[in-house]
């Protein structure tokens, strides 16, 4: 089977967020199953080759012209993608499936389908409504919603990363029930193999070796709810005065959240360390005692899989994806998106570290069993064949 | 049959007198046409005559055919046609819903009388009732007047006042009657979870109030009660829920399509808790941990879950994996044995694996068995492949070299297609709609990738003077390549 994956980011061009890992890993997994996979993505650095074969996957890095308007620039990118796909097809033969990721490449998928009638699949990683923090804004946001609607309307099949996102897409875009299949995200848990000395990692951030440590990973935006965790800190400190809260990530809300922590007099218990990737983040995952995901809207929550891969339990809000994948009391606690509930989750977890470690181990088992890219590639393939 | 004529019928008679007014002349305004005229063709259904009550002045005994004849003789209705249905007009003004048609001969044959001014009469609607000032019922009602105003009206019975007075005693004398408004937008209101609330001291004499709101498109619920200076609020009645309309258009401008099917959405994933007894009844392995001492550490753990339990639980999230796990682990390792699952039959024979499942067809035998036996992540581990993000996280190129070193043996195969030909040097050659560049001596060669599948090749040569044309059509096919690890 010859598959074209369209994505605006990948680990081998420009890395922005979860979609890059998703596309790169899915392409590799499909290639391992013996398929011919072409990834069409943006031009990253000027020294990148236009075409390269990485891990058996064909990467086409497509240049395009910029534009002051972001959506127009994305449309330029889509036009370049269409051109690149058609040129590739002329050279090697038609693609069996054209698989686009998110609204950014939805237009390219639509135009390819209109032009040459290829089977079109669209993966929705999140909706514009959710990215706006559960709001329907006007302006560019409305245009993006229209592109998302057009993508779900034109695609032959739509993949969402969780059932709650499926319901959200059905609600906002009136997509038929049968047209959407939820396929969860995966993770390469071997990135988190190995042991480290948590004390030395904590020392880097000025945290005592035996202090209970809560990790928040995510963009500092309303959607992810860092303010909820900050508001809950006094309740936790009441019972665990040496608890520390590490916030990894950056965003528009960071200043106000830090300010709020200072005003409440709890800044001694918080560490805002900005955006981190790679081994620093992995070490933090391994050093912490629990990972808190107090999101107001979470399509899937890869952070949960990362925590489990590092063998850590999670305290996750029951909005969206986390409510489907977290087994309450077995590999994490499900909470509501308010500060009291967050404090309850963190406090309950701290009250029994034996149980917390057991939950972390269970999480690792879950990740090893099902949230691997080979399993997900199986699901995607069965959808291609259906 | 004579019976006392009620006042309603008196008015009816007055109406009858009005009916003697002839059809309006052509220069009359359309307004007068609204009066009931016999020439209006719609109302004149002959069978209506039969239903005529006897108390009405008896209509003239004219057979229906005669009426229609008369009608044809009578001049067409002058002026523009009536804008309203005359019959509806009639039934509105009289509560007796009898369609009326009274052929009054003078209207047709007599001299046309002068149009009289209509005497101002009492309107047909009876609205001179006095509403009772109280219904002896403690209640509160909200009505949304417009996006920013809500009208509240209430009644508090003396009994309710006495009750609350006996309950709170002297505190009542210091209290005031208060209207408390709750903003319950997007809330399943239970009395305590309002988004915000505010109070209005309405005093003992008011029975209604106009409440100004800050924002539109909100839901409100109100309480009427007494509030003491200490802040205690005793509810006497709770109102209905109201929703104020939007003040403007919605911010959502995109197309929203109607849903046609009535299929219900799949409910979000629900965790069904299995009790220990139910688990035992199913015969699943349960290792109950009886704590020798009750400690905080064991409080949360009632029974142990084995790894298999967790695997089975999470495999439910992936339909295909569930199918794989359902087949069982041990029995699949044996070759040459027919294994029948419920739906997917697998036959292993002669070292070849035949599956019914389209998905597993794409796995080679070794991968399949590994997948069954070891789960996906272990398969990944054994074969020694790395995922993309892993190598990216660990620094790309150096990791790749390591991987190649570890692999030691590799085997790759590619195919290419070379097409070459010859024609006159000044001719033109086209491949499909693409122009093929010729060398000076008229030869050309093209190089294509040769993937799995069929590649049609159509070449057309055209002489310089465009008169001679030769075309060659051929095709090359590469069969599906099979990789055996």
């Amino acid at each position: 089977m010859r598959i074209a994956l369209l994505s605006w980011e990948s680990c081998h061009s420009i890395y922005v967020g979860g979609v890059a890992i998703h596309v790169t890993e899915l392409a590799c997994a499909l290639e391992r199953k013996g398929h011919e996979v072409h990834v069409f993505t943006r031009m990253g650095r000027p020294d990148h080759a236009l075409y390269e074969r990485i891990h058996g996957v064909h990467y086409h890095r497509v240049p395009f012209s910029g534009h002051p308007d972001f959506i127009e620039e994305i449309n330029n990118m889509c036009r370049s993608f269409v051109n690149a796909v058609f040129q590739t097809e002329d050279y090697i033969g038609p693609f069996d499936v054209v698989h686009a990721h998110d609204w950014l490449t939805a237009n390219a998928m639509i135009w390819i389908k209109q032009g040459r009638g290829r089977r079109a699949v669209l993966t929705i990683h999140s909706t514009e409504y959710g990215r706006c923090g559960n709001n329907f804004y006007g302006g560019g946001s409305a245009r993006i919603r229209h592109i998302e609607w057009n993508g779900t309307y034109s695609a032959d099949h739509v993949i969402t990363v969780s059932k709650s996102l499926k319901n959200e897409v059905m609600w906002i875009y009136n997509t038929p029930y049968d047209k959407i299949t939820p396929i969860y995200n995966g993770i390469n848990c071997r990135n988190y193999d190995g042991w480290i000395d948590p004390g030395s990692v904590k020392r880097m951030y000025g945290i005592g070796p035996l202090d209970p440590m809560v990790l928040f990973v995510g963009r500092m935006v309303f959607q992810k709810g860092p303010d909820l965790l900050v508001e809950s800190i006094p309740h936790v400190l009441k019972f665990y005065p040496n608890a520390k809260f590490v916030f990894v990530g950056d965003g528009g809300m960071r200043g106000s959240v830090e300010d709020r922590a200072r005003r409440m007099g709890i800044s001694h218990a918080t560490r805002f360390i900005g955006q981190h990737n790679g081994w620093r983040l992995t070490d933090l995952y391994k050093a912490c005692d629990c990972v808190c995901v107090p999101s107001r809207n979470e399509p899937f929550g890869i952070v949960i899989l990362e925590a489990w891969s590092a063998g850590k339990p999670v305290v996750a809000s029951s909005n969206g994806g986390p409510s489907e994948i977290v087994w309450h009391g077995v590999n994490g606690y499900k909470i509501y998106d308010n500060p009291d509930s967050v404090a309850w989750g963190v406090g309950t977890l701290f009250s029994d570290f034996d149980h917390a470690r057991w939950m972390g181990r269970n999480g690792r088992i879950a990740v090893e069993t099902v949230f691997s890219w080979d399993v997900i590639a199986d699901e995607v393939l069965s959808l291609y064949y259906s | 049959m004579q019976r006392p004529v009620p006042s309603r019928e008196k008015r009816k008679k007055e109406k009858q007198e009005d009916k003697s007014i002839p059809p309006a002349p052509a220069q009359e305004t359309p307004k007068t046409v609204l009066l009931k005229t016999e020439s209006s063709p719609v109302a004149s259904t002959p069978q209506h005559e039969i239903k005529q009550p006897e108390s009405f002045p008896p209509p003239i005994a004219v057979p229906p055919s005669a009426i229609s004849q008369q009608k044809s003789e009578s001049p067409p209705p002058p002026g523009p046609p009536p804008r309203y249905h005359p019959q509806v007009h009639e039934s509105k003004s009289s509560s007796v819903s009898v369609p009326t048609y009274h052929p009054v001969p003078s209207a047709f044959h007599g001299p046309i009388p002068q149009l009289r001014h209509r005497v101002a009469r009492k309107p047909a609607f009876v609205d001179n009732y006095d509403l009772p000032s109280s219904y002896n019922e403690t209640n509160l009602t909200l009505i949304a007047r417009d996006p920013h105003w809500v009208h509240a009206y209430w009644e508090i019975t003396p009994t309710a006042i006495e009750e609350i007075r006996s309950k709170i005693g002297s505190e009542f004398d210091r209290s005031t009657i208060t209207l408390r408004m709750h903003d319950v937008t997007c809330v399943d209101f239970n009395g305590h979870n309002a988004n915000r609330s505010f109070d209005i001291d309405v005093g003992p004499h008011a029975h209604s109030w106009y409440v100004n709101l800050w924002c539109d498109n909100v839901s409100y619920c109100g309480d009427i009660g007494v509030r003491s200076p200490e802040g205690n609020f005793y509810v006497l009645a709770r109102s209905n829920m109201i929703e104020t309309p939007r003040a403007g258009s919605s911010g959502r401008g995109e197309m929203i399509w109607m849903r046609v099917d009535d299929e219900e959405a799949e409910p979000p994933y629900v965790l069904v808790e299995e009790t220990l007894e139910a688990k035992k009844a199913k015969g699943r392995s349960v290792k109950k941990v009886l704590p020798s001492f009750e400690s905080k550490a064991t409080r949360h753990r009632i029974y142990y879950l084995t790894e298999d339990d967790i695997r089975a639980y999470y495999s439910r999230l992936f339909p295909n994996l569930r199918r794989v796990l359902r087949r069982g682990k041990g029995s699949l390792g044996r070759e040459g044995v027919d294994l029948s699952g419920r739906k997917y039959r697998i036959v292993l024979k002669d070292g070849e694996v035949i599956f019914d499942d389209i998905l597993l067809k794409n796995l080679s035998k070794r991968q399949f068995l590994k997948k069954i036996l070891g789960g996906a992540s272990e398969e990944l581990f054994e074969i020694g492949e790395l995922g993309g993000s892993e190598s990216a996280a660990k620094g790309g190129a150096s990791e790749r070299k390591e991987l190649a070193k570890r692999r030691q043996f590799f085997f790759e195969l590619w195919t290419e297609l070379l097409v070459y030909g010859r024609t006159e040097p000044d001719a033109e050659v086209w491949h499909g709609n693409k122009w093929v560049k010729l060398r000076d001596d008229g030869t050309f060669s093209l190089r294509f990738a040769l993937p799995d599948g069929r590649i049609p090749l159509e070449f057309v040569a055209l002489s310089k003077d465009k008169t001679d044309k030769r075309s060659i059509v051929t095709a090359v096919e590469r069969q599906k390549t099979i990789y055996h690890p």
Side-chain angles (χ1 to χ4, degrees):
Chain A
M1 198 175 218
R2 192 178 292 124
I3 302 158
L5 295 180
L6 312 179
S7 167
W8 83 315
E9 54 168 329
S10 77
C11 289
H12 304 299
S13 57
I14 295 177
Y15 177 90
V16 181
V19 179
I21 293 180
H22 183 105
V23 169
T24 313
E25 290 279 10
L26 180 65
C28 278
L30 290 171
E31 201 275 338
R32 283 201 292 276
K33 306 249 173 228
H35 298 278
E36 186 181 339
V37 185
H38 294 254
V39 176
F40 294 85
T41 180
R42 282 189 295 176
M43 193 77 181
R45 298 191 304 268
D47 58 331
H48 270 159
L50 287 175
Y51 167 80
E52 201 173 345
R53 194 161 182 203
I54 304 168
H55 299 143
V57 180
H58 306 262
Y59 277 87
H60 303 261
R61 301 198 186 91
V62 182
F64 61 93
S65 54
H67 197 279
D69 181 9
F70 178 65
I71 296 174
E72 280 309 313
E73 184 166 338
I74 291 299
N75 280 342
N76 280 350
M77 182 189 79
C78 287
R79 288 182 198 104
S80 295
F81 277 11
V82 173
N83 185 42
V85 167
F86 285 175
Q87 279 190 352
T88 312
E89 276 194 338
D90 292 345
Y91 190 67
I92 60 164
F95 284 111
D96 296 314
V97 172
V98 174
H99 186 165
H101 288 265
D102 256 0
W103 70 272
L104 297 142
T105 51
N107 271 339
M109 177 203 75
I110 294 164
W111 294 330
I112 291 167
K113 185 179 176 183
Q114 285 170 347
R116 298 201 172 171
R118 302 284 171 253
R119 187 173 160 77
V121 177
L122 175 67
T123 296
I124 298 278
H125 294 267
S126 61
T127 59
E128 181 63 15
Y129 162 80
R131 284 192 295 271
C132 293
N134 293 359
N135 276 308
F136 292 105
Y137 290 133
S141 186
R143 287 171 70 195
I144 292 171
R145 279 203 302 280
H146 183 77
I147 295 174
E148 277 184 357
W149 165 77
N150 202 356
T152 54
Y153 179 77
S154 306
D156 289 312
H157 210 93
V158 178
I159 299 173
T160 58
V161 292
S162 67
K163 288 180 186 171
S164 65
L165 187 65
K166 173 178 176 173
N167 288 338
E168 202 174 297
V169 168
M170 278 163 50
W171 162 53
I172 300 174
Y173 302 120
N174 291 279
T175 317
Y177 177 85
D178 299 334
K179 199 174 170 180
I180 313 179
T181 306
I183 297 179
Y184 293 96
N185 264 316
I187 194 167
N188 192 347
C189 61
R190 290 189 54 222
N191 283 343
Y192 296 82
D193 282 352
W195 280 266
I196 52 148
D197 174 21
S200 60
V201 176
K202 288 180 175 178
R203 199 181 310 129
M204 282 174 65
Y205 301 100
I207 299 170
L210 289 178
D211 291 353
M213 175 176 158
V214 177
L215 185 65
F216 171 93
V217 182
R219 280 173 293 130
M220 290 276 180
V221 292
F222 184 74
Q223 178 194 0
K224 302 289 179 189
D227 52 322
L228 297 175
L229 184 55
V230 166
E231 295 284 341
S232 76
I233 290 174
H235 304 282
V236 179
L237 290 184
K238 188 175 169 190
F239 298 98
Y240 301 94
N242 56 349
K244 297 288 183 291
F245 297 79
V246 179
F247 293 78
V248 182
D250 231 325
M253 233 179 152
R254 183 176 169 188
S256 64
V257 168
E258 271 186 73
D259 192 47
R260 180 73 186 141
R262 269 197 298 278
R263 277 162 190 269
M264 288 199 295
I266 50 160
S267 57
H268 66 280
T270 57
R271 305 283 183 276
F272 291 90
I273 60 173
Q275 193 176 359
H276 279 278
N277 271 328
W279 62 269
R280 276 174 192 277
L281 184 59
T282 311
D283 282 357
L284 277 171
Y285 273 122
K286 288 176 185 170
C288 72
D289 292 294
C290 102
V291 176
C292 189
V293 190
S295 297
R296 291 186 168 89
N297 176 311
E298 188 66 68
F300 179 77
I302 292 190
V303 174
I304 292 170
L305 297 189
E306 289 171 351
W308 285 349
S309 301
K312 300 298 174 191
V314 295
V315 174
S317 67
S318 51
N319 293 345
S323 70
E324 293 160 34
I325 59 171
V326 175
W327 191 353
H328 185 78
V330 173
N331 46 26
Y333 287 123
K334 284 198 257 193
I335 51 164
Y336 299 106
D337 51 351
N338 61 54
D340 297 346
S341 194
V342 175
W344 173 86
V346 173
T348 311
L349 202 130
F350 283 172
S351 70
D352 188 348
F353 281 110
D354 264 353
H355 186 61
R357 276 189 286 276
W358 178 73
M359 290 203 296
R361 279 199 296 279
N362 289 343
R364 173 82 188 193
I365 293 166
V367 162
E368 284 178 354
T369 310
V370 293
F371 296 104
S372 82
W373 287 106
D374 292 70
V375 175
I376 284 141
D378 277 350
E379 296 286 326
V380 173
L381 275 177
S382 72
L383 196 107
Y384 289 165
Y385 282 115
S386 67
Chain B
M1 192 184 93
Q2 288 294 327
R3 58 189 168 88
V5 180
S7 62
R8 202 165 45 190
E9 296 195 359
K10 261 186 203 162
R11 285 205 302 280
K12 194 81 189 179
K13 276 183 180 172
E14 286 174 16
K15 197 84 193 173
Q16 295 303 320
E17 289 169 14
D18 283 351
K19 287 215 182 76
S20 58
I21 296 165
Q27 61 267 29
E28 278 295 323
T29 56
K31 203 177 172 187
T32 44
V33 181
L34 294 182
L35 294 175
K36 177 139 181 78
T37 60
E38 281 73 15
S39 59
S40 131
V42 191
S44 55
T45 331
Q47 57 262 36
H48 287 164
E49 259 182 306
I50 303 159
K51 294 178 189 169
Q52 201 71 235
E54 292 180 0
S55 58
F56 284 101
I60 307 164
V62 182
S65 57
I67 292 172
S68 58
Q69 206 181 354
Q70 273 180 3
K71 276 180 58 62
S72 61
E73 285 168 12
S74 68
R83 277 167 62 204
Y84 302 115
H85 198 296
Q87 190 175 344
V88 175
H89 185 71
E90 175 69 38
S91 65
K92 246 186 183 175
S93 56
S94 73
S95 51
V96 182
S97 65
V98 178
T100 51
Y101 171 69
H102 302 288
V104 182
S106 64
F108 296 101
H109 307 294
I112 296 169
Q114 287 299 313
L115 201 67
R116 288 177 301 171
H117 287 290
R118 296 183 64 186
V119 184
R121 284 181 287 111
K122 211 172 172 185
F125 289 105
V126 181
D127 57 357
N128 51 357
Y129 288 124
D130 281 332
L131 287 172
S133 57
S134 77
Y135 293 89
N136 206 21
E137 196 180 316
T138 305
N139 67 353
L140 168 66
T141 308
L142 300 185
I143 297 170
R145 196 196 78 168
D146 61 27
H148 295 283
W149 285 92
V150 169
H151 181 230
Y153 64 89
W154 61 88
E155 184 193 347
I156 302 168
T157 59
T159 334
I161 295 280
E162 282 310 312
E163 260 179 37
I164 199 79
R165 188 198 293 278
S166 64
K167 200 186 281 176
I168 63 176
S170 64
E171 197 183 348
F172 181 82
D173 300 328
R174 291 177 281 123
S175 309
T176 51
I177 304 282
T178 301
L179 174 65
R180 177 166 286 187
M181 299 288 287
H182 304 286
D183 181 347
V184 293
T185 311
C186 299
V187 166
D188 188 9
F189 188 51
N190 60 8
H192 306 286
N193 59 350
N195 298 325
R196 65 190 71 82
S197 304
F198 61 93
D199 287 356
I200 303 170
D201 283 349
V202 292
H205 305 300
H207 292 289
S208 65
W209 206 268
Y210 277 97
V211 185
N212 195 351
L213 303 179
W214 295 269
C215 41
D216 59 321
N217 193 22
V218 288
S219 301
Y220 264 87
C221 177
D223 285 338
I224 190 82
V226 290
R227 192 185 61 175
S228 65
E230 291 84 20
N232 298 325
F233 186 69
Y234 302 97
V235 179
L236 293 169
R238 171 156 294 168
S239 79
N240 54 328
M241 303 269 183
I242 54 148
E243 212 171 304
T244 60
R246 283 180 191 278
S249 59
S250 165
R252 297 186 63 185
E254 69 267 18
M255 265 187 284
I256 298 177
W257 293 83
M258 189 180 71
R259 246 188 106 94
V260 191
D261 56 343
D262 51 359
E263 196 173 23
E264 278 196 15
E266 190 182 5
Y269 191 69
V270 179
L271 169 64
V272 181
E273 276 190 27
E274 208 171 9
T275 59
L276 197 63
E277 286 72 27
K279 245 187 153 183
K280 271 181 183 162
K282 274 189 188 170
R284 288 174 64 188
S285 59
V286 179
K287 199 169 123 198
K288 178 102 190 280
V289 173
L290 290 169
S292 52
F293 55 93
E294 186 67 27
S295 76
K296 215 166 78 170
T298 50
R299 198 184 303 152
H300 300 294
R301 234 172 327 177
I302 309 301
Y303 55 85
Y304 240 93
L305 291 164
T306 62
E307 286 194 13
D308 286 342
D309 287 337
I310 293 167
R311 281 181 200 279
Y313 176 85
Y314 275 97
S315 69
R316 284 193 285 170
L317 301 180
F318 290 90
N320 289 313
L321 193 66
R322 188 170 58 214
R323 270 177 232 151
V324 171
L325 287 178
R326 200 192 288 148
R327 291 190 180 110
K329 281 187 170 184
S331 56
L332 277 161
R334 282 170 281 162
E335 283 189 359
V337 181
D338 283 12
L339 301 157
S340 47
R342 201 166 53 182
K343 195 176 168 189
Y344 303 92
R345 207 159 53 83
I346 306 166
V347 184
L348 306 174
K349 60 177 183 183
D350 301 338
E352 276 289 314
V353 187
I354 301 161
F355 308 113
D356 285 356
D357 193 344
I358 190 160
L359 176 80
L360 294 170
K361 251 181 216 167
N362 305 304
L363 296 176
S364 69
K365 185 178 114 193
R366 184 172 148 232
Q367 279 175 321
F368 172 70
L369 291 177
K370 272 189 174 302
K371 181 174 259 318
I372 305 300
L373 293 172
S377 65
E378 284 172 40
E379 174 208 351
L380 183 71
F381 188 76
E382 296 251 331
I383 292 176
E385 290 275 353
L386 287 173
S389 71
E390 178 170 358
S391 58
K394 289 185 179 165
S398 62
E399 187 66 24
R400 272 198 81 194
K401 266 181 217 156
E402 241 174 62
L403 177 65
K405 229 185 279 171
R406 205 187 309 157
R407 244 190 205 159
Q408 289 178 351
F409 181 72
F410 65 92
F411 178 45
E412 290 171 332
L413 188 97
W414 292 290
T415 53
E416 278 191 342
L417 177 65
L418 204 65
V419 180
Y420 56 97
R422 186 168 70 98
T423 180
E424 292 194 15
D426 55 354
E428 275 180 19
V429 176
W430 293 80
H431 168 222
N433 53 2
K434 284 206 174 76
W435 180 70
V436 179
K437 193 179 178 193
L438 299 183
R439 298 196 193 95
D440 292 341
D441 57 349
T443 62
F444 64 92
S445 71
L446 297 169
R447 209 170 140 195
F448 295 98
L450 184 53
D452 288 349
R454 184 184 162 86
I455 302 175
L457 296 167
E458 295 179 22
F459 286 90
V460 177
L462 208 61
S463 66
K464 194 185 177 185
D465 52 359
K466 312 281 186 204
T467 49
D468 291 330
K469 187 178 170 187
R470 298 276 187 282
S471 116
I472 298 172
V473 178
T474 180
V476 178
E477 186 167 353
R478 179 175 154 190
Q479 288 188 338
K480 180 156 178 56
T481 310
I482 298 158
Y483 300 90
H484 288 293

